[in-house]
PDB file of all heavy atoms in Angstrom:
ATOM      1  N   SER F  19      61.968 122.160 115.900  1.00 46.00           N
ATOM      2  CA  SER F  19      62.608 121.103 115.077  1.00 46.00           C
ATOM      3  C   SER F  19      61.775 120.891 113.809  1.00 46.00           C
ATOM      4  O   SER F  19      62.314 120.769 112.716  1.00 46.00           O
ATOM      5  CB  SER F  19      62.699 119.783 115.847  1.00 46.00           C
ATOM      6  OG  SER F  19      63.543 119.952 116.964  1.00 46.00           O
ATOM      7  N   GLY F  20      60.426 120.844 113.995  1.00 51.00           N
ATOM      8  CA  GLY F  20      59.558 120.654 112.849  1.00 51.00           C
ATOM      9  C   GLY F  20      59.691 121.821 111.867  1.00 51.00           C
ATOM     10  O   GLY F  20      59.729 121.632 110.650  1.00 51.00           O
ATOM     11  N   HIS F  21      59.738 123.019 112.455  1.00 50.00           N
ATOM     12  CA  HIS F  21      59.850 124.207 111.602  1.00 50.00           C
ATOM     13  C   HIS F  21      61.180 124.205 110.862  1.00 50.00           C
ATOM     14  O   HIS F  21      61.250 124.493 109.662  1.00 50.00           O
ATOM     15  CB  HIS F  21      59.735 125.458 112.510  1.00 50.00           C
ATOM     16  CG  HIS F  21      59.991 126.735 111.742  1.00 50.00           C
ATOM     17  ND1 HIS F  21      59.074 127.214 110.804  1.00 50.00           N
ATOM     18  CD2 HIS F  21      61.049 127.594 111.724  1.00 50.00           C
ATOM     19  CE1 HIS F  21      59.520 128.332 110.283  1.00 50.00           C
ATOM     20  NE2 HIS F  21      60.745 128.593 110.815  1.00 50.00           N
ATOM     21  N   TYR F  22      62.267 123.814 111.626  1.00 49.00           N
ATOM     22  CA  TYR F  22      63.598 123.740 110.987  1.00 49.00           C
ATOM     23  C   TYR F  22      63.644 122.686 109.882  1.00 49.00           C
ATOM     24  O   TYR F  22      64.174 122.880 108.816  1.00 49.00           O
ATOM     25  CB  TYR F  22      64.632 123.442 112.066  1.00 49.00           C
ATOM     26  CG  TYR F  22      66.058 123.339 111.518  1.00 49.00           C
ATOM     27  CD1 TYR F  22      66.768 124.469 111.161  1.00 49.00           C
ATOM     28  CD2 TYR F  22      66.643 122.067 111.398  1.00 49.00           C
ATOM     29  CE1 TYR F  22      68.055 124.367 110.662  1.00 49.00           C
ATOM     30  CE2 TYR F  22      67.941 121.964 110.887  1.00 49.00           C
ATOM     31  CZ  TYR F  22      68.626 123.119 110.534  1.00 49.00           C
ATOM     32  OH  TYR F  22      69.907 123.033 110.041  1.00 49.00           O
ATOM     33  N   GLY F  23      62.982 121.514 110.216  1.00 51.00           N
ATOM     34  CA  GLY F  23      62.958 120.422 109.219  1.00 51.00           C
ATOM     35  C   GLY F  23      62.189 120.834 108.004  1.00 51.00           C
ATOM     36  O   GLY F  23      62.630 120.560 106.865  1.00 51.00           O
ATOM     37  N   SER F  24      61.027 121.487 108.206  1.00 52.00           N
ATOM     38  CA  SER F  24      60.234 121.882 107.029  1.00 52.00           C
ATOM     39  C   SER F  24      60.990 122.952 106.241  1.00 52.00           C
ATOM     40  O   SER F  24      60.895 122.994 105.022  1.00 52.00           O
ATOM     41  CB  SER F  24      58.860 122.390 107.474  1.00 52.00           C
ATOM     42  OG  SER F  24      59.021 123.550 108.315  1.00 52.00           O
ATOM     43  N   THR F  25      61.727 123.806 106.975  1.00 54.00           N
ATOM     44  CA  THR F  25      62.517 124.847 106.262  1.00 54.00           C
ATOM     45  C   THR F  25      63.595 124.190 105.412  1.00 54.00           C
ATOM     46  O   THR F  25      63.834 124.560 104.274  1.00 54.00           O
ATOM     47  CB  THR F  25      63.175 125.779 107.288  1.00 54.00           C
ATOM     48  OG1 THR F  25      62.143 126.362 108.094  1.00 54.00           O
ATOM     49  CG2 THR F  25      63.963 126.896 106.593  1.00 54.00           C
ATOM     50  N   MET F  26      64.274 123.171 105.996  1.00 52.00           N
ATOM     51  CA  MET F  26      65.306 122.454 105.268  1.00 52.00           C
ATOM     52  C   MET F  26      64.724 121.714 104.071  1.00 52.00           C
ATOM     53  O   MET F  26      65.304 121.728 102.968  1.00 52.00           O
ATOM     54  CB  MET F  26      65.997 121.451 106.207  1.00 52.00           C
ATOM     55  CG  MET F  26      66.866 122.103 107.271  1.00 52.00           C
ATOM     56  SD  MET F  26      68.245 123.040 106.561  1.00 52.00           S
ATOM     57  CE  MET F  26      69.212 121.712 105.877  1.00 52.00           C
ATOM     58  N   ASP F  27      63.528 121.076 104.264  1.00 55.00           N
ATOM     59  CA  ASP F  27      62.883 120.393 103.138  1.00 55.00           C
ATOM     60  C   ASP F  27      62.518 121.365 102.045  1.00 55.00           C
ATOM     61  O   ASP F  27      62.638 121.049 100.856  1.00 55.00           O
ATOM     62  CB  ASP F  27      61.625 119.662 103.643  1.00 55.00           C
ATOM     63  CG  ASP F  27      61.977 118.460 104.501  1.00 55.00           C
ATOM     64  OD1 ASP F  27      63.123 117.993 104.423  1.00 55.00           O
ATOM     65  OD2 ASP F  27      61.081 117.985 105.238  1.00 55.00           O
TER      66      ASP F  27
END
Side-chain angles (χ1 to χ4, degrees):
S19 297
H21 175 71
Y22 179 74
S24 62
T25 303
M26 289 297 292
D27 289 341

